[in-house]
Amino acid sequence: MTVRTPVVPDSPRGHDREILALALPAFGALLAQPLFVMVDTAVVGRLGTQQLAGLGVATALLMSGVNIFVFLAYATTAAVARRIGADDVPGAVRQGVDGIWLALALGGTVLLAGFPAAGRLVDAFGASVPAAPYATSYLRVAVFGIPAMLVVLASTGVLRGLQDTRTPLRVAVGGFGANAVLNVALVHGAGLGVSGSAWGTVIAQWGMAAAYLLVVVRGARRHGVSLRPDLAGVGRGARAGVPLLVRTLSLRAMAVVTTAVAARLGDTDLAAHQIALSFWSLLAFGLDAIAIAGQAIIGRHLGSGDRNAAREACRRMVRWGVSSGVVLGLLLVAAGPLLLPLFTSDPEVRRTLFPVLLVIACCQPLSGVVFVLDGVLMGAGDGPYLAGAMLVTLVVFVSAALAVLAHDGGLVALWWAMTLMIGVRLVTLWFRARSGRWIVTGGTR
């Protein structure tokens, strides 16, 4: 791990080049997790419908359990980037090591709790009787990969904070390739069925974790940083992560409410909603890549005490967010009708889905600004404000979603409620960004 403090850009184009240099590799790495799920789905899908249904339940539970800890990446990125900006490389590496120990502690806890509860979790999720055994079988193996997944999150945050998004891309590509080969070999070659798919993913995740740990260990030795856990440092990381955990849980709650309302609108609306969510998620990857660049860049500028550079970087990233949102929205409008037949052959579902895609397309420029400002405030370590703003958004959105259900507004109205949610987030984040209260300089916040 070679650490180099980047030169502060002295022009708008310089900021743009720096944003792109971080965002493009980050976008590639972000695609790794959905690609893991796609490979598992393609391989297990050849075993039968019940096996595929079981996989769907298990992966939904697994990813819900992992994604609530995404703060391991976000909080670590901000903390490490500040240290780099303050020209404290050993402190940055120390911060990263503490984040990885926190990931291991949380991962071990989830593993110990999740393994014996796998069957009960599958039943609570409502899996059908034929699919439940396959879901339980997959989940009981897959939980052994949770500590590795959390280490990957924390390690990714370390490298992003060090202004390196290329190494995570290389690790993600290697992990995806290993996962694909192992799934085919274990599921069909060794005849292990659904459990073989889980073992393939677990091995690939631990391989990725090992690759990251090797990079971090080399960096720690080079800069004379102890690899032992610093309980005070781990505790600081946990406290910094609590507000971001609240933010993430609020987002998950909104996703659950949205799906629950769509389910009550009817099977056609629910099917269209699930396809719409896949489009929404894909577009989010592009916007989130800019947010990741924002976390790293803003944290570094604030660590160095350069308020003007932080403000200019924020302005440039907002412009990138708007323009990216416009481009993605136009692409969705143009490509949507061509892609719909790939997802469903039901003409009624297509008719229901198309106006929803138009709503999503209209929302993308707003989403671009929201994602960027979210990343800026995370990079600034402004977690408590983000948590409070997200709780306000949750209350507004749930009220709007329940109103859609009460008045039988339909799926398009539900997605306008989603747009309202983005609008509320935009207002809360925009006022915070304009206030300048997030600009707190120094190696720590």
Side-chain angles (χ1 to χ4, degrees), residues 252-390:
R252 295 299 303 172
M254 284 186 271
V256 169
V257 169
T258 304
T259 301
V261 171
R264 286 160 176 77
L265 296 176
D267 289 345
T268 298
D269 282 13
L270 179 59
H273 176 71
Q274 292 302 113
I275 298 171
L277 276 178
S278 67
F279 281 99
W280 175 277
S281 299
L282 181 61
L283 296 174
F285 287 127
L287 301 177
D288 203 29
I290 304 172
I292 287 170
Q295 294 170 31
I297 293 170
I298 293 297
R300 194 189 81 237
H301 287 322
L302 293 179
S304 68
D306 195 336
R307 295 170 175 266
N308 291 332
R311 288 193 182 94
E312 180 59 27
C314 178
R315 283 193 289 268
R316 298 304 300 179
M317 281 183 283
V318 167
R319 293 182 182 180
W320 273 100
V322 173
S323 58
S324 298
V326 169
V327 171
L328 291 173
L330 292 174
L331 285 174
L332 181 60
V333 171
L338 302 176
L339 295 175
L340 290 186
L342 300 177
F343 288 87
T344 178
S345 58
D346 188 331
E348 188 60 31
V349 173
R350 292 185 198 175
R351 282 194 293 271
T352 303
L353 180 58
F354 185 69
V356 173
L357 295 185
L358 294 180
V359 175
I360 294 175
C362 292
C363 186
Q364 290 311 296
L366 301 180
S367 296
V369 179
V370 166
F371 276 61
V372 164
L373 293 180
D374 210 33
V376 166
L377 297 185
M378 283 185 193
D382 205 11
Y385 180 83
L386 288 172
M390 194 62 76

Side-chain angles (χ1 to χ4, degrees), residues 111-162:
L111 168 59
L112 293 175
F115 181 80
R120 293 191 296 275
L121 290 171
V122 167
D123 291 339
F125 202 80
S128 66
V129 173
Y134 297 109
T136 303
S137 176
Y138 185 97
L139 192 58
R140 280 181 176 156
V141 173
V143 291
F144 286 95
I146 288 178
M149 293 180 189
L150 299 192
V151 167
V152 167
L153 283 176
S155 302
T156 301
V158 174
L159 293 175
R160 289 173 181 169
L162 296 172

Side-chain angles (χ1 to χ4, degrees), residues 254 388-398 421 424-425 428:
M254 284 186 271
M390 194 62 76
L391 288 173
V392 171
T393 305
L394 174 62
V395 171
V396 173
F397 171 73
V398 170
M421 177 268 290
V424 174
R425 291 184 67 190
T428 57

Side-chain angles (χ1 to χ4, degrees), residues 411-433:
L411 190 62
V412 173
L414 178 60
W415 275 90
W416 278 119
M418 288 278 285
T419 304
L420 172 64
M421 177 268 290
I422 292 294
V424 174
R425 291 184 67 190
L426 176 60
V427 171
T428 57
L429 296 175
W430 183 264
F431 276 111
R432 185 64 169 183

